Amino acid sequence: VTLEGKDVISVRDFDKETILHILSKAGEVDSHPVPSLLTGKIMATLFYEPSTRTRLSFESAMKRLGGGVIGFADPDTTSTAKGESLADSIRIVEGYADVIILRHPLEGAARLAGDVANIPVINAGDGANQHPTQTFLDLYTILKDKGRIDSLRIGFLGDLKYGRTVHSLATALKHFDVELCFISPSLLRMPEYVLDELHQSKIPFQEMAVLEDAISDLDVLYCTRIQKERFGSPIDHEKVRGAYRVSMHTLSFAKDDLRIMHPLPRVDELDPAVDDSIHAIYFEQAKNGIPIRQALLALVLGKL
Ligand code: CP
């Protein structure tokens, strides 16, 4: 498996062997950090949408490996505000950096950037489509905590329609021996194209509306925020706002080793009282963004 020079756009571009290779390399950099691995390399972070975890963990990952970072977190401070196209911006930035990390509100923007650039482009989230590096850190978190990804019953809760993290993760899980349970209001169901993909891969799944009906059998519950910014109509958002909330009461029906994950940020769907319970691993999950992104950077730059 070699990822040197490759883009990281969608989990669909990665087979099981490559996914496991990335997780294994993340384990290596996690346990044996090499602070000079990327000395002399420059990463550009182009963030056309807000972010805390993805941008800062990429920047931290690069700096901890000895590399440099350029970029922006607010496109209004760039020539995008003067009308420059994404394709032109990418052509310019590839002359300044060795790898580009792109977050953009439009689905397909990362693929376009990857096609334009002659250096690796890593998708840090494109609209409601994909967030592959989040998926790799999610899988890494499950593997670290459970010791396996197979033979697990994994629930997805919340905004399954617009949540790119759940689209990416569900797609990647088709390579594993898992049972999936999708819990959401009907307005926010998992898109048919994801369900079709799972069906074709013979992954058993159920769709449910009530968390309490599902929770007692789950090994992992992956919670998500309602993606208010992606709703076409504020009326639709009002219909589902506050539709679910995970609390210590909800968890009284869960197995002792149920693990709660969340890509974060959270709004009101996950009670902070859960944070100190044995179930909560979402802060650890966010921290795992560092070894995963270090491994990905080193792999696409041909240094691992
Ligand atoms: N999980 C995630 O993508 O968080 P940010 O939006 O803060 O990057």
Side-chain angles (χ1 to χ4, degrees):
V1 179
T2 177
L3 291 177
E4 184 173 359
K6 298 261 171 69
D7 298 325
V8 179
I9 305 297
S10 164
V11 294
R12 288 189 189 84
D13 302 334
F14 296 84
D15 59 16
K16 182 174 184 176
E17 186 192 2
T18 311
I19 292 172
L20 292 175
H21 180 68
I22 292 166
L23 303 190
S24 158
K25 291 295 173 190
E28 278 178 29
V29 296
D30 209 355
S31 51
H32 298 99
V34 184
S36 58
L37 195 61
L38 296 183
T39 300
K41 299 291 183 187
I42 294 179
M43 175 184 78
T45 50
L46 313 187
F47 275 62
Y48 292 80
E49 265 195 345
S51 168
T52 298
R53 277 145 292 274
T54 311
R55 187 173 65 83
L56 296 182
S57 65
F58 259 116
E59 294 190 359
S60 174
M62 190 61 170
K63 288 183 176 183
R64 286 179 181 186
L65 292 178
V69 176
I70 59 171
F72 59 82
D74 177 2
D76 288 344
T77 63
T78 73
S79 287
T80 303
K82 301 179 211 162
E84 184 166 68
S85 69
L86 175 64
D88 277 1
S89 297
I90 294 292
R91 279 193 189 98
I92 297 305
V93 173
E94 74 171 341
Y96 305 157
D98 301 291
V99 56
I100 290 174
I101 316 301
L102 176 72
R103 172 168 287 190
H104 200 281
L106 292 181
E107 286 143 41
R111 184 73 69 194
L112 181 146
D115 290 346
V116 167
N118 291 308
I119 60 172
V121 171
I122 300 182
N123 182 6
D126 61 328
N129 185 32
Q130 284 273 312
H131 195 346
T133 67
Q134 177 72 44
T135 293
F136 295 135
L137 78 87
D138 292 341
L139 293 173
Y140 184 72
T141 302
I142 294 172
L143 188 59
K144 242 177 124 172
D145 186 86
K146 295 282 185 189
R148 65 188 195 281
I149 300 172
D150 292 311
S151 306
L152 294 174
R153 187 167 166 82
I154 301 176
F156 290 78
L157 174 71
D159 185 349
L160 311 186
K161 179 176 180 180
Y162 296 113
R164 57 192 170 204
T165 62
V166 290
H167 301 159
S168 279
L169 182 55
T171 308
L173 284 170
K174 74 181 182 189
H175 297 297
F176 297 90
D177 175 21
V178 290
E179 288 179 23
L180 305 181
C181 185
F182 300 124
I183 311 145
S184 72
S186 59
L187 209 59
L188 299 179
R189 281 182 62 217
M190 190 63 101
E192 286 298 334
Y193 73 88
V194 177
L195 300 180
D196 285 348
E197 228 172 319
L198 294 171
H199 191 67
Q200 279 164 24
S201 302
K202 299 189 169 40
I203 299 295
F205 64 84
Q206 280 180 293
E207 292 188 272
M208 305 176 94
V210 180
L211 174 60
E212 283 74 7
D213 292 344
I215 198 159
S216 61
D217 289 338
L218 296 178
D219 300 300
V220 174
L221 177 62
Y222 194 96
C223 307
T224 61
R225 169 181 72 90
I226 291 185
Q227 309 272 306
K228 183 180 177 185
E229 66 276 24
R230 305 206 196 284
F231 278 67
S233 135
I235 296 168
D236 279 349
H237 177 250
E238 269 312 303
K239 283 184 196 157
V240 292
R241 194 162 66 94
Y244 52 88
R245 181 173 172 85
V246 177
S247 66
M248 286 311 287
H249 175 70
T250 328
L251 292 173
S252 63
F253 303 102
K255 295 201 268 188
D256 287 346
D257 62 354
L258 169 74
R259 294 292 181 257
I260 307 288
M261 297 176 66
H262 194 310
L264 303 173
R266 66 177 150 191
V267 185
D268 51 11
E269 66 282 357
L270 182 52
D271 189 336
V274 174
D275 296 359
D276 296 325
S277 78
I278 52 162
H279 302 291
I281 56 167
Y282 30 90
F283 292 119
E284 199 57 38
Q285 180 187 353
K287 217 184 280 179
N288 288 335
I290 298 285
I292 279 292
R293 290 174 173 130
Q294 284 182 323
L296 283 168
L297 287 168
L299 283 165
V300 300
L301 291 171
K303 297 290 181 183
L304 259 187

